[in-house]
Amino acid sequence: MKIIISILIMCLCFYEAQAQTIAIPDTNFEQFLIDERIDSDGQINGQILTADALKVTKLGVGGGNSNIINLSGLEHFVNLEELSVWLFPFNINYLSRMTSLKKLTLTQCGLTSLNLSQNALLEELIISNPFDVDFNSNDLTFLDLSNNPNIYSIHADFNYNLQLIRLNNGNNQNISNMIMNFVGTLQPVCVQVDDVNVANQGIAPYNSWNIDGNYQYSDNCMLSNREYYADKLNVYPNPTTGILHLDIEDETKIEKIEVYDFSGKIIKEIKGELLINIESLALGNYLLRVFTSEGVVIKKIIKK
């Protein structure tokens, strides 16, 4: 028995010793932490003290000129209340341990999903894409904020495929200053609330909510079955000077095609064609919404 206890104590001590540091494999990320006076030893050695990470409550880090390619270690900054990441692919699993987060900004992080169920204190969420910029854009279809009762600010502009936002968190009646922006979606966003009847009647608190975007209230939002396998549809050449060809697998039929600019405005509609002429359109980025017999495909195209 004494031998077992001794072994357990030794293991515990070893774990505690290991837990005193956090591995930071990306030297550019560690240099950033040194420059921000977070890494107290001031040396590039592949690690920082756990105590250093626990002191940080606000952090902003982005791509661009930083040359950072790996944010591994960020998940140990568990006392963060504000986190901003931009122009950088973001691992959403990092968020599960950041239970103190109140403000989260993830801009051009290539998001296709986002799990915020462990971030119950979250108040502000910014996941918008810049207008007319197609680089590492976020592309979410839904946001589940049903476990975020304090949320009062949601910015999700130009997430073109966003379909629903679940806000039935049991605290709607106490949020009178709600701000929601989701301009540019290709269909109305279903906003699931605590009391859809009160919301549709424009009674408090919903009458004071500031919502910019096309939406409808519901008590049972569901994702539509419009996501067809995008790899079954090939659009070429892309970029194009004006003529686009569509190839589609099997016997799937193309019913119609809608062309949108990056503000979400429909500017052209074509019925069931495999060739599209966009020579008359201005140079820039556009979205094709292709309706098929199996579902809908969204394709980004560039007119040059």
Side-chain angles (χ1 to χ4, degrees):
M1 184 67 177
K2 289 182 178 180
I3 294 176
I4 295 175
I5 293 174
S6 297
I7 293 173
L8 289 174
I9 292 173
M10 289 174 63
C11 291
L12 181 60
C13 290
F14 176 78
Y15 174 80
E16 291 291 342
Q18 293 298 307
Q20 299 305 308
T21 60
I22 297 168
I24 306 292
D26 190 309
T27 56
N28 291 307
F29 184 32
E30 187 174 7
Q31 185 61 58
F32 166 80
L33 296 175
I34 292 172
D35 295 341
E36 294 293 311
R37 299 183 178 181
I38 294 171
D39 187 350
S40 61
D41 67 20
Q43 300 177 12
I44 299 294
N45 53 16
Q47 64 183 28
I48 67 169
L49 296 175
T50 301
D52 290 343
L54 296 180
K55 292 177 184 177
V56 182
T57 59
K58 183 177 181 179
L59 185 67
V61 58
N65 297 325
S66 67
N67 295 318
I68 299 172
I69 60 174
N70 185 356
L71 290 178
S72 181
L74 180 63
E75 66 272 23
H76 297 285
F77 287 67
V78 296
N79 290 329
L80 280 174
E81 296 181 6
E82 293 187 27
L83 174 63
S84 298
V85 180
W86 60 94
L87 292 171
F88 197 92
F90 184 75
N91 185 342
I92 61 172
N93 294 322
Y94 292 165
L95 297 174
S96 63
R97 300 183 62 188
M98 300 177 185
T99 56
S100 297
L101 269 182
K102 293 183 178 179
K103 183 176 182 179
L104 177 62
T105 302
L106 299 173
T107 304
Q108 288 178 274
C109 290
L111 300 175
T112 57
S113 62
L114 190 58
N115 184 353
L116 299 171
S117 61
Q118 302 302 311
N119 310 108
L121 300 181
L122 191 66
E123 298 175 354
E124 301 176 69
L125 176 64
I126 302 172
I127 53 170
S128 294
N129 294 311
F131 173 68
D132 204 21
V133 175
D134 185 20
F135 174 74
N136 206 36
S137 297
N138 298 330
D139 187 19
L140 290 108
T141 56
F142 73 96
L143 283 172
D144 189 347
L145 300 170
S146 59
N147 198 42
N148 308 95
N150 298 330
I151 194 81
Y152 70 86
S153 181
I154 304 163
H155 296 266
D157 289 329
F158 305 113
N159 278 263
Y160 298 101
N161 293 315
L162 186 64
Q163 294 184 46
L164 69 86
I165 300 176
R166 291 197 175 99
L167 272 175
N168 53 321
N169 51 41
N171 196 43
N172 289 179
Q173 72 275 12
N174 295 317
I175 305 296
S176 60
N177 58 338
M178 176 67 73
I179 298 172
M180 280 192 283
N181 295 324
F182 37 80
V183 171
T185 58
L186 296 181
Q187 64 184 50
V189 175
C190 183
V191 180
Q192 188 164 329
V193 293
D194 290 342
D195 193 328
V196 65
N197 293 325
V198 170
N200 285 330
Q201 292 177 50
I203 300 173
Y206 302 103
N207 60 344
S208 62
W209 286 17
N210 187 350
I211 303 178
D212 190 5
N214 192 5
Y215 71 97
Q216 59 189 24
Y217 288 124
S218 175
D219 58 1
N220 187 28
C221 292
M222 301 291 290
L223 286 173
S224 66
N225 185 28
R226 63 167 190 78
E227 289 296 335
Y228 180 56
Y229 294 109
D231 58 357
K232 290 189 176 182
L233 176 68
N234 185 30
V235 179
Y236 67 92
N238 189 16
T240 181
T241 57
I243 303 298
L244 287 167
H245 298 269
L246 279 70
D247 281 345
I248 195 162
E249 292 185 8
D250 55 48
E251 300 299 318
T252 303
K253 295 180 179 180
I254 293 179
E255 298 170 351
K256 71 173 180 176
I257 302 163
E258 295 174 344
V259 183
Y260 292 79
D261 64 19
F262 261 49
S263 70
K265 178 183 177 182
I266 184 170
I267 55 177
K268 192 177 184 72
E269 184 173 331
I270 305 102
K271 297 290 185 183
E273 300 288 338
L274 293 176
L275 185 146
I276 308 172
N277 188 337
I278 60 169
E279 290 177 338
S280 62
L281 301 184
L283 304 184
N285 299 321
Y286 297 90
L287 293 172
L288 293 185
R289 193 180 187 196
V290 184
F291 293 79
T292 79
S293 56
E294 300 295 330
V296 178
V297 185
I298 305 296
K299 291 285 186 177
K300 297 176 183 178
I301 60 170
I302 301 174
K303 167 75 181 301
K304 66 176 183 179

